[in-house]
Amino acid sequence: MFTNKETFKEEFKQRCVTKYGVDMSRCHITELYEVLGTMVRDYCAEDWKTSKDYVSERHEKQLVYFSMEFLIGRLLVNNMMNLGIYQVAKDGLKDLGIDIHQLEEQESDAGLGNGGLGRLAACFLDSIASLGYPGHGNCIRYEYGFFKQKIIDGKQVEVPDQWLQNTNVWEIKKPKHAVEVKFYGRAETYQDVDGCIRSRTVDAMTVKAVPYDVPVIGYKNKVVNTLRLWSAEPSEENLPSNQSFSEYLTALRELCHGLYPDDSTEHGRILRLRQQYFLVSAGLQSMIRGHKRREGRLDNICEKYVFQLNDTHPILSIPEMMRILMDENGFGWDEAWYQVTHMMAYTNHTIMAEALEKWPVSYVSNLLPRVYMIIEEINRRTILDLRSKGYSEDFINSVKIIKDGMIHMTNLGIHACFSVNGVAKLHTKICCEDTFKEFYQLYPEKFNNKTNGITHRRWFLCANPAYSSLVSSLISDSWIKNPDDLEKLLKFVDDKDVQDRFLDIKHENKLKLASYIKEHNHIDVDTNSIFDVQIKRLHAYKRQLMNIFRIIYFYKRMKADSNFKIYPHTYIFGAKAAPSYYLAKKIIELINAVANVVNNDPEVSKYMKIVFIENYGVSSAEIIIPAADVSEQISTAGKEASGTSNMKFMINGALTLGTLDGANVEIDQLVGSDNDVIFGLRTEEIEHLRREGSYSPWDIYHNDGWIKSIIDSLVDGSWSRNHDDFKVIFDEVMYRNDEYFILKDLNMYIEASLKMDEKYLDRSAWAKSCLINTAKAGYFSSDRTIEQYVEDIWHLKHIGE
């Protein structure tokens, strides 16, 4: 159907009639989009089947990637590019009088993720398929995603993200592959036919988990893997007897209602736990059923499957797999433990102790009684093993799974998984030397680093076609499959013509973003200004607050001194705050309040505009990132595990303004200090200040007039008539000892910003630095990351090899 544009046109017109019973000319644009989407999905079906058959018939090892998020964004363009059919479809639609870009706009961003964790998982799936490995994602089919962000009167308002309202053309429901997941009830023992004592769960609430499969299409290699999304439906045979059907349906709907329920309530926390178990139980049962059908045995599962647990959310996979093997398949403890500990691998994404997931024993023992028994037994056996090896009780207590009435999920993961990886060199170093130092003493062979990456095909080839085409014209398009080949661009970084062409393309991208801002924010921005961008989840450690403090400084300085001017800037923010994260929502409110004052100040607005992009997500990022000049990566050193927006900006020719945190460390090492601007306290300096207890924001406040003015502006009516509107921010910084060292780093940040402005004024040198960043970005392709996972952890073979 995509052989040529004539074949495409005939198929497209016929499908309009077949599906909607009317000629194409009478179809609504949403219907035209659905026709195109289903054509693309059907086109990949043969490769999808072939890929599955190859793995099944040859009994190849497969990866299952468990993640609570897959922030896949829109798929239409990405899928057509990967299949090599985009131009045929574009030309054919043009002949039919249809602009393909209008159809692209009809697709919703899939509501399957929130931030970097989910986008990373999506990049990994793309690279796994494009490199030709058998690897599949497992997630929940969230009906409403995280939330859709509205900015009303400068404040974040959460409304449902109805991404499935017009259906999802990419998914195929697979009811025959449904499995049943059990909650509550009780565990009872019984004697099996061989006289062995076994356990089983009885009197449980049973939920039918139904999979919806989405194809994951490799780049022009005929490999198609699967993202399996699980949805909850009523059990057909095991309806509850202790609650009404309507109550049962409510419980089911909650499971897939949305990503990350509000954890400020007990109900919300328990729902999160239910979601985690629903995902892993459904995924594991489905895998085991398929494996038994193909292999006729289960004692070799660890040779045929590897499970990567993306953060702590899927760590319930460990006791659930033990339960399935022992209770449903007759394994003894040692046999089951061997299989589990040879096929489960864990990726850690945080070093912050408060972010390491733990659950009250009462929650797990009530919701998942048999699973809790298994966790308890893992903990008991671990303690006995460590005592037998002579470890002290203090040491054992530091690595226990259950302590103080809580189940520490990270501890469970590290004890059970055969691999534990960090996601940047600095992050992994901190994990080994600090956060998990006792575990590193126990299991040094388990720990390894896998610096994160991004799919350069999505974030450069598709998102920035003009610039990526320029690169291909200079060095060929071999970089699309071999991203290290981007280094060939280094030969051209001093070429004045190439520099000018780069700057022209950047300006065109800025014009597109300016148009987007005008449409959505009703703000006119200067496309000759520096586009200075910070887009990421709103969290205190990411220090969006320090960014707006810097802007307040420049504003106040210009108001106080008519001789002080900055080069024109457009400061762009994009971020969602978790609905219950009050401080983060107040920071968004402050950004918008400052924007309201600055943007309407006739003296200053010609030098600076502030824009907060509403409902930041994948699709808006694809417009923002190619237009950015400066990439703000300013988290407190030692707090950001990796970051991936830094990599996306880098490959698109923006310079990093950042701290030595996360992957910034490796970016700085690759591009060199002439091609980024690094500032701020180092990790070891921050740790020293914490240990000594010698840091006080009040010392800075009383000794730095400008900082005092910035802080006072929070409560003196500068940004709101109500002087208490931003008192919570004042209190957070001043009375909670400025946990993330904003005031300590602020002057260095301001100096670094001015240094970046100086760089920008030398247009040739600036373009050279941007080109160097692109040339060095191949290392940060998720293709490299996946190859390292395969080499060190997964040990997969290529499909068709």
Side-chain angles (χ1 to χ4, degrees):
M1 67 184 82
F2 290 92
T3 307
N4 54 58
K5 70 175 183 178
E6 298 303 326
T7 305
F8 168 82
K9 287 190 293 186
E10 289 305 312
E11 179 73 16
F12 188 85
K13 289 189 290 186
Q14 182 56 47
R15 287 200 177 211
C16 288
V17 174
T18 303
K19 185 167 182 63
Y20 296 108
V22 295
D23 289 335
M24 181 198 74
S25 60
R26 296 176 61 189
C27 283
H28 189 265
I29 191 167
T30 57
E31 296 170 337
L32 297 175
Y33 157 72
E34 188 163 345
V35 167
L36 178 59
T38 52
M39 284 176 67
V40 175
R41 188 194 68 200
D42 293 349
Y43 183 77
C44 79
E46 188 63 36
D47 291 340
W48 205 359
K49 173 185 179 299
T50 301
S51 299
K52 292 175 187 175
D53 289 348
Y54 182 92
V55 173
S56 178
E57 291 166 4
R58 289 164 178 77
H59 306 276
E60 298 288 0
K61 188 177 187 180
Q62 300 178 69
L63 163 75
V64 175
Y65 196 89
F66 274 127
S67 180
M68 292 299 287
E69 298 185 47
F70 284 90
L71 195 58
I72 56 177
R74 295 171 174 171
L75 293 177
L76 182 62
V77 174
N78 191 74
N79 284 347
M80 287 195 290
M81 293 285 280
N82 283 6
L83 290 167
I85 59 175
Y86 182 80
Q87 198 60 46
V88 169
K90 183 179 180 181
D91 293 344
L93 290 168
K94 185 178 180 181
D95 285 358
L96 296 172
I98 301 170
D99 182 352
I100 194 171
H101 300 304
Q102 291 183 332
L103 299 193
E104 293 164 10
E105 289 299 314
Q106 301 310 305
E107 183 174 8
S108 300
D109 277 30
L112 301 173
N114 169 39
L117 181 84
R119 187 53 234 172
L120 179 76
C123 284
F124 279 7
L125 288 189
D126 178 276
S127 283
I128 291 165
S130 294
L131 293 169
Y133 293 114
H136 316 288
N138 261 247
C139 191
I140 290 176
R141 184 178 180 266
Y142 302 107
E143 188 176 357
Y144 292 105
F146 192 43
F147 63 83
K148 187 174 182 179
Q149 182 192 55
K150 294 282 189 183
I151 301 298
I152 300 175
D153 296 329
K155 302 175 183 179
Q156 172 177 295
V157 176
E158 303 92 25
V159 298
D161 174 16
Q162 301 183 65
W163 74 284
L164 287 171
Q165 189 172 32
N166 293 322
T167 72
N168 176 14
V169 299
W170 306 111
E171 66 185 15
I172 298 175
K173 186 176 182 179
K174 298 288 187 71
K176 73 170 186 176
H177 295 295
V179 297
E180 295 207 325
V181 177
K182 295 181 178 181
F183 298 98
Y184 303 106
R186 55 189 172 83
E188 71 171 15
T189 57
Y190 69 100
Q191 193 172 46
D192 67 14
V193 293
D194 297 320
C196 296
I197 302 299
R198 301 287 182 191
S199 294
R200 60 189 170 201
T201 302
V202 297
D203 298 331
M205 182 184 83
T206 304
V207 176
K208 184 165 73 171
V210 181
Y212 289 72
D213 286 354
V214 176
V216 180
I217 301 167
Y219 182 76
K220 295 184 179 180
N221 64 353
K222 295 188 174 297
V223 171
V224 181
N225 290 327
T226 302
L227 170 59
R228 175 158 281 188
L229 307 175
W230 292 99
S231 185
E233 294 186 6
S235 171
E236 295 175 2
E237 298 178 359
N238 297 300
L239 292 174
S241 58
N242 59 348
Q243 64 180 159
S244 69
F245 189 66
S246 62
E247 291 173 329
Y248 175 56
L249 286 180
T250 298
L252 294 188
R253 291 193 188 104
E254 281 187 324
L255 270 175
C256 302
H257 179 79
L259 173 66
Y260 298 144
D262 181 2
D263 62 359
S264 64
T265 67
E266 183 175 68
H267 180 80
R269 291 191 293 274
I270 292 173
L271 179 53
R272 285 195 180 203
L273 183 62
R274 287 171 56 208
Q275 285 185 329
Q276 292 178 10
Y277 183 70
F278 176 74
L279 168 62
V280 300
S281 181
L284 292 175
Q285 288 187 64
S286 175
M287 179 281 299
I288 284 184
R289 187 165 64 184
H291 181 81
K292 286 169 73 174
R293 184 178 65 251
R294 287 187 302 274
E295 302 279 329
R297 52 191 284 219
L298 285 178
D299 59 352
N300 66 340
I301 304 178
C302 64
E303 299 167 18
K304 301 301 179 182
Y305 277 93
V306 58
F307 294 88
Q308 192 69 41
L309 311 181
N310 193 29
D311 212 1
T312 52
H313 310 129
I315 280 179
L316 283 171
S317 297
I318 293 162
E320 174 63 3
M321 180 62 92
M322 292 290 291
R323 184 195 69 78
I324 294 170
L325 292 177
M326 292 190 300
D327 294 3
E328 298 180 7
N329 292 281
F331 277 56
W333 181 276
D334 291 341
E335 297 171 280
W337 187 244
Y338 177 87
Q339 296 294 329
V340 168
T341 55
H342 285 77
M343 63 179 170
M344 297 284 178
Y346 163 53
T347 299
N348 172 268
H349 286 277
T350 184
I351 52 153
M352 295 192 293
E354 67 272 19
L356 296 174
E357 192 173 48
K358 50 187 181 289
W359 292 108
V361 164
S362 59
Y363 286 13
V364 181
S365 60
N366 182 45
L367 183 69
L368 311 167
R370 177 59 179 147
V371 166
Y372 174 68
M373 288 173 62
I374 292 169
I375 295 172
E376 204 172 36
E377 181 65 10
I378 295 171
N379 184 59
R380 187 186 72 83
R381 289 178 181 238
T382 300
I383 291 170
L384 290 177
D385 180 58
L386 293 176
R387 282 176 180 159
S388 72
K389 293 175 180 176
Y391 287 98
S392 70
E393 289 301 313
D394 285 345
F395 181 92
I396 292 171
N397 188 62
S398 70
V399 298
K400 279 181 181 177
I401 297 166
I402 303 174
K403 52 185 174 180
D404 303 321
M406 305 293 286
I407 302 170
H408 294 251
M409 302 307 288
T410 303
N411 295 9
L412 173 58
I414 297 175
H415 281 302
C417 293
F418 70 88
S419 168
V420 179
N421 74 276
V423 292
K425 287 180 180 177
L426 176 62
H427 169 237
T428 303
K429 182 174 183 286
I430 293 170
C431 283
C432 295
E433 295 179 359
D434 184 9
T435 312
F436 305 125
K437 61 182 179 182
E438 292 86 0
F439 285 101
Y440 185 63
Q441 292 174 39
L442 272 179
Y443 311 117
E445 73 286 352
K446 290 187 179 187
F447 285 82
N448 60 94
N449 177 60
K450 299 290 174 282
T451 297
N452 283 341
I454 59 166
T455 171
H456 58 287
R457 287 170 290 271
R458 178 70 179 252
W459 290 105
F460 188 45
L461 178 66
C462 293
N464 203 342
Y467 185 23
S468 59
S469 294
L470 170 61
V471 170
S472 293
S473 73
L474 297 171
I475 65 172
S476 86
D477 64 0
S478 63
W479 61 270
I480 299 173
K481 289 194 173 184
N482 301 292
D484 287 344
D485 285 354
L486 285 170
E487 287 239 8
K488 296 175 183 177
L489 188 61
L490 290 174
K491 292 187 298 183
F492 299 92
V493 299
D494 290 304
D495 187 311
K496 187 66 168 60
D497 179 59
V498 173
Q499 291 175 1
D500 289 343
R501 289 163 70 188
F502 165 78
L503 292 173
D504 287 343
I505 290 167
K506 179 65 75 170
H507 190 254
E508 286 296 318
N509 289 334
K510 290 167 83 167
L511 287 170
K512 292 175 187 174
L513 177 54
S515 177
Y516 181 93
I517 290 169
K518 178 66 175 176
E519 179 184 353
H520 292 85
N521 295 74
H522 310 296
I523 298 171
D524 291 303
V525 299
D526 177 7
T527 55
N528 291 311
S529 67
I530 297 174
F531 278 25
D532 185 311
V533 184
Q534 187 177 18
I535 46 174
K536 50 185 77 238
R537 180 168 53 91
L538 204 306
H539 195 287
Y541 81 83
K542 294 179 185 288
R543 299 203 293 191
Q544 286 94 343
L545 183 59
M546 188 171 73
N547 191 343
I548 199 64
F549 281 180
R550 169 191 63 153
I551 296 169
I552 292 172
Y553 165 79
F554 285 132
Y555 176 72
K556 285 182 167 290
R557 180 85 184 271
M558 282 192 282
K559 294 296 285 184
D561 180 358
S562 60
N563 294 316
F564 177 79
K565 297 289 184 290
I566 63 170
Y567 186 88
H569 275 66
T570 300
Y571 297 104
I572 298 168
F573 294 84
K576 289 183 178 181
S580 60
Y581 194 170
Y582 184 69
L583 174 65
K585 295 173 81 168
K586 274 294 177 182
I587 293 171
I588 289 176
E589 189 178 337
L590 176 64
I591 292 168
N592 283 297
V594 175
N596 186 53
V597 172
V598 171
N599 295 349
N600 291 294
D601 187 316
E603 295 176 355
V604 177
S605 61
K606 66 184 81 170
Y607 297 102
M608 55 198 298
K609 292 282 180 69
I610 305 168
V611 178
F612 190 94
I613 302 290
E614 183 181 74
N615 200 44
Y616 166 67
V618 175
S619 293
S620 54
E622 290 170 333
I623 300 170
I624 298 167
I625 290 172
D629 295 308
V630 177
S631 163
E632 294 283 346
Q633 308 296 332
I634 58 175
S635 52
T636 308
K639 291 297 182 184
E640 184 74 82
S642 165
T644 54
S645 72
N646 45 9
M647 304 168 191
K648 295 163 192 164
F649 284 116
M650 176 191 185
I651 199 171
N652 282 281
L655 301 196
T656 301
L657 174 58
T659 53
L660 280 180
D661 192 32
N664 295 353
V665 175
E666 290 156 90
I667 290 176
D668 182 60
Q669 291 169 348
L670 282 169
V671 304
S673 58
D674 290 339
N675 302 300
D676 61 11
V677 177
I678 299 297
F679 73 92
L681 296 171
R682 295 342 193 218
T683 305
E684 58 273 15
E685 293 172 319
I686 287 173
E687 289 309 309
H688 175 76
L689 288 173
R690 285 205 173 102
R691 283 195 303 271
E692 296 293 314
S694 56
Y695 173 60
S696 169
W698 289 105
D699 292 340
I700 297 174
Y701 176 86
H702 289 305
N703 289 287
D704 188 315
W706 282 114
I707 287 182
K708 183 178 186 301
S709 175
I710 292 166
I711 295 299
D712 286 347
S713 77
L714 298 171
V715 292
D716 67 7
S718 293
W719 317 117
S720 172
R721 292 177 182 174
N722 183 345
H723 291 204
D724 291 333
D725 268 354
F726 303 115
K727 191 173 186 303
V728 65
I729 299 176
F730 182 98
D731 291 348
E732 183 71 25
V733 175
M734 303 309 300
Y735 290 109
R736 296 189 180 176
N737 211 47
D738 188 16
E739 181 180 0
Y740 297 107
F741 298 89
I742 288 172
L743 301 192
K744 188 71 172 175
D745 270 353
L746 183 55
N747 280 326
M748 288 184 279
Y749 181 35
I750 291 168
E751 290 171 14
S753 299
L754 293 171
K755 181 180 178 182
M756 186 68 86
D757 293 358
E758 289 177 20
K759 284 178 173 288
Y760 189 82
L761 294 176
D762 185 340
R763 304 305 290 138
S764 176
W766 180 269
K768 177 179 177 179
S769 287
C770 294
L771 290 163
I772 289 172
N773 270 265
T774 301
K776 290 291 187 178
Y779 174 78
F780 292 107
S781 168
S782 48
D783 286 9
R784 184 267 312 153
T785 313
I786 292 305
E787 290 288 16
Q788 291 179 340
Y789 271 102
V790 170
E791 178 71 21
D792 298 337
I793 301 173
W794 300 341
H795 307 300
L796 305 173
K797 293 181 180 178
H798 291 98
I799 295 173
E801 189 175 69

